[in-house]
Amino acid sequence: VDCVMYLTTARSRVVALNGATGEELWSFDPFAGQQRTGPLASGGVNRGVALCSDGRPGGEGWILLGTAAGNLYSIDAGTGKLDPRFGEQGVKDLREDRKRDIARLSYGPTSPPAVYRNVVIVGVSCDEGPGPAAPGDVRAFDVRTGKPIWRFHTVPRPGEVGNDTWQDDSWKDRGGANAWGGFSVDQQRGIVFCGTGSATFDLYGGDR
């Protein structure tokens, strides 16, 4: 973007490079000084970042990074510093606002979020095997503040389309059905498209 490359390394560090020379302009390490309490989703995979322009002349906007540890970061694209207006000093803990305790479960974005106008849309990687698993809901946040805007339950709750097909309340505490692979957004119509993994547990549906 404007001759700057924004990329992630194998350990989820974000690097900005001069696109003509390869010179490093800045780098950001989301795990620097951080103590993790839960496992990394998909072993810590990261597939890139999203860029949100701020619309000002000369303004570079923000880099949006989701990590396999369950955080969403807003980074000033010009300086590599966290934007203090977003979440808690630049970081949104995606494990917050959950009705279930998922602190010890695998949960976090492994693909870039999508940006539509003032909304950042996030999917996660989570467990799909037997045993407890975090829900795979698609979630949207205000791109400037990190405040929640909406949530789509990939396993429908009571009153939502399709819930009646989950017999014997088998929708309860169901994990998986997660949009781990990223999104496509129809910018004209305001529609986001995503594919999901299986509801837990994968390849077996006898309990649902």
Side-chain angles (χ1 to χ4, degrees):
V1 178
D2 295 332
C3 205
V4 178
M5 293 178 61
Y6 302 99
L7 54 93
T8 52
T9 70
R11 297 187 182 275
S12 300
R13 189 165 60 95
V14 183
V15 182
L17 302 177
N18 182 308
T21 66
E23 174 192 3
E24 183 176 302
L25 304 176
W26 56 258
S27 68
F28 172 80
D29 185 353
F31 296 124
Q34 183 185 99
Q35 292 185 342
R36 297 195 306 271
T37 58
L40 292 176
S42 296
V45 170
N46 186 277
R47 300 179 176 88
V49 296
L51 174 68
C52 178
S53 173
D54 61 7
R56 295 176 301 167
E60 290 154 310
W62 307 274
I63 298 296
L64 296 163
L65 168 72
T67 68
N71 290 323
L72 180 63
Y73 296 82
S74 180
I75 306 164
D76 187 296
T79 65
K81 305 296 184 183
L82 289 173
D83 181 356
R85 300 168 296 178
F86 185 87
E88 294 293 331
Q89 297 300 308
V91 186
K92 171 63 180 176
D93 183 354
L94 298 175
R95 295 176 186 267
E96 294 178 333
D97 313 319
R98 310 303 312 195
K99 293 183 179 180
R100 292 169 50 196
D101 182 7
I102 61 171
R104 297 289 178 178
L105 300 178
S106 175
Y107 184 86
T110 56
S111 293
V115 177
Y116 174 74
R117 296 183 180 177
N118 67 323
V119 178
V120 54
I121 305 158
V122 181
V124 297
S125 175
C126 57
D127 290 331
E128 295 178 6
D137 300 342
V138 178
R139 302 165 70 193
F141 304 90
D142 186 294
V143 76
R144 292 179 174 84
T145 67
K147 292 182 178 179
I149 295 178
W150 55 257
R151 173 181 296 159
F152 176 76
H153 298 126
T154 55
V155 176
R157 306 290 178 85
E160 298 175 348
V161 174
N163 175 262
D164 59 336
T165 68
W166 291 73
Q167 297 178 3
D168 301 324
D169 290 336
S170 59
W171 60 271
K172 288 185 176 180
D173 296 330
R174 184 69 58 176
N178 51 310
W180 61 268
F183 305 97
S184 293
V185 179
D186 184 328
Q187 295 283 347
Q188 292 184 334
R189 295 171 177 83
I191 300 172
V192 61
F193 297 86
C194 66
T196 71
S198 172
T200 54
F201 70 87
D202 197 7
L203 307 179
Y204 175 75
D207 62 341
R208 63 180 188 267

